[in-house]
Amino acid sequence: MSFRLLSSLSAKLRSVVYRAATVSLIDMKKAQVVFVLGGPGSGKGTQCVRIVENYGYTHLSAGDLLRAERSREGSEFGQLIDNHIKDGKIVPFEITIKLLKKAMEETRKLDEKKIHFLIDGFPRNEENLQGWTTIMDGEADVKFVLFFDCSNEVCINRCVERGKSSGRTDDNRASLEKRIQTYLQSTRPVISLYEKQGKVRTVDASCGVDKVFANVKTILDKEI
């Protein structure tokens, strides 16, 4: 009887261990995401490059993906994206999430160990966030939001200066003022939602590039 009891316990233990291992493997397969948010010109892209160099994340810029799709020959969304960008409006979430998901899948096909992503400039409104939650449920975990906080005037001045060499059609004062308003009205509420969940890590982005990254590094060293 004692032997049968031990055998039964052993079988149950193996079952528990197997289930735990299975769950662990599933979790390992999920993408680990950090959303990077801040106003236009807050330095998100510059800092993401440094994070990639130092921490091995894969950087996906929602804006870059949209601009690439806009320029892609034969794109069914090209004109729509172009109009939204010029007007400082937010592109429909279905398009942006489709591009992000495709980029993540392509990255992981090349190297299945690449599960850590910086998603820069998304979600830009609550509809984006709801769409992400629905479409990416079970495929990605949002670890936290890295929020680059900077005054509107500093953001505008940086973008105007960048526009002298970037060639971007939205790096002009008229477009920037629209983008700032969109950011304040649509993106800040998303940041507030994550703040209530204790998932926002704020960086003073008004400093120089090196000092900003020193603060970013302090945050990431605690999180990783």
Side-chain angles (χ1 to χ4, degrees):
M1 183 174 178
S2 176
F3 176 75
R4 287 200 299 273
L5 180 60
L6 286 172
S7 296
S8 176
L9 287 172
S10 178
K12 288 180 179 178
L13 181 60
R14 286 196 300 272
S15 177
V16 169
V17 170
Y18 174 77
R19 287 200 301 272
T22 302
V23 170
S24 178
L25 284 171
I26 291 171
D27 286 345
M28 283 173 62
K29 291 178 181 178
K30 292 173 81 172
Q32 305 298 299
V33 171
V34 174
F35 286 144
V36 183
L37 295 175
S42 60
K44 301 184 298 295
T46 299
Q47 295 300 322
C48 282
V49 170
R50 292 197 170 197
I51 294 170
V52 169
E53 291 172 350
N54 287 269
Y55 293 93
Y57 277 81
T58 297
H59 173 214
L60 298 177
S61 164
D64 286 351
L65 289 171
L66 287 167
R67 282 185 286 273
E69 179 65 19
R70 175 183 62 180
S71 301
R72 185 175 65 82
E73 188 174 349
S75 170
E76 61 181 307
F77 305 118
Q79 190 59 55
L80 183 149
I81 292 170
D82 187 52
N83 292 339
H84 277 68
I85 288 176
K86 285 180 179 177
D87 291 339
K89 296 179 181 177
I90 296 173
V91 174
F93 74 85
E94 295 92 343
I95 297 172
T96 309
I97 295 175
K98 179 181 179 181
L99 295 173
L100 286 168
K101 187 176 182 182
K102 181 182 177 185
M104 292 170 74
E105 288 171 350
E106 288 175 349
T107 298
R108 298 189 68 183
K109 278 180 185 176
L110 293 173
D111 186 348
E112 62 182 14
K113 293 179 181 178
K114 285 190 172 292
I115 63 169
H116 296 95
F117 293 88
L118 294 171
I119 297 187
D120 163 12
F122 182 92
R124 291 188 62 198
N125 60 15
E126 291 185 42
E127 188 178 41
N128 277 184
L129 179 56
Q130 290 165 3
W132 171 273
T133 302
T134 301
I135 295 169
M136 300 302 290
D137 182 45
E139 296 189 41
D141 285 333
V142 178
K143 308 309 289 182
F144 59 93
V145 173
L146 192 58
F147 169 40
F148 290 92
D149 193 15
C150 195
S151 73
N152 297 342
E153 194 57 33
V154 169
C155 286
I156 289 173
N157 289 338
R158 285 177 178 174
C159 287
V160 169
E161 187 62 30
R162 181 178 67 188
K164 294 175 182 177
S165 58
S166 70
R168 285 178 49 169
T169 58
D170 55 346
D171 274 347
N172 60 78
R173 187 164 288 273
S175 288
L176 284 163
E177 288 175 355
K178 293 177 184 176
R179 289 163 63 196
I180 289 286
Q181 286 306 309
T182 299
Y183 161 71
L184 293 174
Q185 294 168 8
S186 302
T187 308
R188 285 305 294 260
V190 171
I191 295 168
S192 295
L193 283 172
Y194 276 111
E195 280 178 331
K196 291 174 183 175
Q197 298 174 30
K199 282 191 166 186
V200 174
R201 310 292 179 264
T202 302
V203 179
D204 179 0
S206 63
C207 313
V209 173
D210 291 338
K211 188 170 182 181
V212 172
F213 185 67
N215 293 333
V216 169
K217 196 171 184 300
T218 298
I219 291 169
L220 292 181
D221 287 345
K222 289 178 182 177
E223 295 291 341
I224 295 174

